[in-house]
Amino acid sequence: ARAPVWWYDLTNRMAQSLATMRATPALERRALSSLGASSRTSIGTVTRAGRFGPSSRVHHARSPLRARAGDRDRVPDGDKNSRYYSESAAGPAELDSLLQLYLSKCRSNAAADAARAALERPSADDVASPSSIPRRGPNAGKVYLIGTGPGDPGLLTLKAYHLMQTADVVLYDRLVSPQILDLVSTDSTMLYVGKQSGYHTRTQDEIEAMMLAFAANGATIVRLKGGDPLVFGRGGEEMEALAARGHEVRIVPGITAAAGVGSELGIPLTHRGVATSVRLLTGHLREGAAKEAASGDGNAVADAVDFAVTSADLDTTLVVYMGLATLPALAAKLLASGFPADTPAVAVERGTTHHERRVFSTIEDLPESVATCGLKSPTLLIVGATVKLSPWWPWRDQAGDAVAPTTTSSSPAFDLQTGLPSEDTREWFTEHSRTLGKLREMGNGVRQTRGEEPAGEGDPSPAR
C-alpha cells in the first residue's frame, strides 16, 4: 500500500535538511532508527538527492570520517589512524557555521521523530511539524565537565558513561582515548577540541564560546577531559566562564593520572614511614604567568621548576604533570637542593593504555634515560622513595628486595618497559558485552521517557 501524502511531505523536508548538512554516518543511523525499517532502502537517496519518493533506490552509505594525511603527524603514534583526532573531526572553523550545522541536525532529528510518531499514530492531526518543535529558552542547556581518567576505559565512572550516552553535544580533548570515545552514543554530535604543543584545534576562548552557544540553544553538553577536570584540566576556567553567563555547570570527577598510573604500577603516593605527603605539580605554566607574578596580578609562581623544587622534600612523593620538556632542569635543581642522586624515579608515557611505555631510573639519570628511550607527551613523572616499592622496580638483591641501581659514569641506569603491567581492560567490553548492554539501556531509558516528567536533581535531561 502507498504511504499517505503527508508522509512524503514530511520526509521530503527531512531529506532537504539532511542533504544541506551533508549528513554524517551517525545522523544516518539515527534517521534510520527513527523512521523504521520501511525506509532503510531509501536513506542513501535522501542524503544524495535531497528527495524522498516511493521509487527510491538503494545507494551505498557514506564512508566513515577518516583523518586527513596531514593531520596524522599531530596525534600520538598509536592513534595515527583514529578519526577522532583529525582536523576534520573539529568541524567548521567558524562558530556560526558550527552552530548552524548542529541546529540543522536538530531539525532533522525533530523531523525524524515526527515521522516515527506519524507511523505510530497515522492521524495527520497528531503529527508535529518540524517548524513547530518547541525550543528551549535561554540558559536552558546543561553542561557537564567530565573526567575520563588516564586512558583505560575500565577506569571510567558509571556516571560519566551514563552522561556520554545521553548527551546532545560532546566536546573532547586529545587525552581522551579512542576506546573511551567509542563509548559515546552514536546520536551525539562529537567535536574534537584538543590542544597539544604546536597544534590547537581551538583556543580556550573558542572552546568556552562553543559551550556557551550550544547551551544557549538548550543542548545537553558533555565536555570530556582526560584525568580529572579540576586537576590541571582548566575545568575551573570553563566553569567560571559558563557560570558568569548563567549556565549551571556540573562536575563529574575522574581518576587523575597520579592515582591511576600510581595504582597500576603499585606505587603508593603516600606510605607510612616512607612518604607522608604527595605533591601534584605541573611542569609548565601558562603563557604570561611570569609577567603576572611580577606585577602581582596572578599568583606568586613565576617558574614551574623552581616551585616544584621548593615544594619537594625527601618525605614527599613528587608527581609532575606535563613535565617532559622541563625534566632536565627539574632533575638538576632537585640534585642541587640536596636530593640524593639515587632517588628513585619513573617516567610513564600514556599510562594505563596499551601504548604505555615506562622508564624506571634515578633522578640523576632520568633525563638522559628518557631522551634515549624517546618518550613523548603525555608523560607523567613520579619521583620519591615510594617508586622503589613498585613490584615493577627492576633492581633487586638476591633476597628479592628493591635496591638502588648500580650506575657508571659512561651510561645511565634505566629500565625501559612497554605495554600494560596488568590486564588490558579493553577486552572486558567484548567479553562482557551483556554488562555493557545493561549500561547502554540506562541512556536509552532516559531518551524514551524524555518529556513525560521533569528530570530529578542531578539527572541529565537531553534536548532532542
Side-chain angles (χ1 to χ4, degrees), residues 269-351:
L269 299 182
T270 61
H271 190 77
R272 190 167 56 178
V274 180
T276 57
S277 63
V278 58
R279 300 285 177 88
L280 308 183
L281 301 165
T282 177
H284 73 273
L285 301 177
R286 71 185 185 279
E287 185 178 352
K291 183 177 180 180
E292 291 178 3
S295 63
D297 294 334
N299 58 37
V301 180
D303 185 279
V305 174
D306 286 342
F307 180 72
V309 172
T310 57
S311 300
D313 59 68
L314 296 178
D315 295 323
T316 295
T317 301
L318 189 65
V319 183
V320 184
Y321 294 68
M322 302 168 286
L324 202 57
T326 55
L327 175 57
L330 173 65
K333 290 188 176 183
L334 285 175
L335 292 171
S337 70
F339 266 62
D342 64 352
T343 300
V346 63
V348 185
E349 175 191 287
R350 305 191 69 190

Side-chain angles (χ1 to χ4, degrees), residues 6-7 10-11 13-14 30 34-35 106-124 126-133 450:
W6 60 261
W7 164 258
L10 187 61
T11 50
R13 278 182 287 178
M14 183 191 72
R30 174 169 173 83
S34 299
L35 289 172
C106 289
R107 288 191 293 270
S108 299
N109 288 346
D113 288 340
R116 180 177 57 184
L119 287 175
E120 297 172 353
R121 298 186 300 274
S123 173
D126 294 330
V127 180
S129 168
S131 61
S132 66
I133 301 298
R450 64 182 181 273

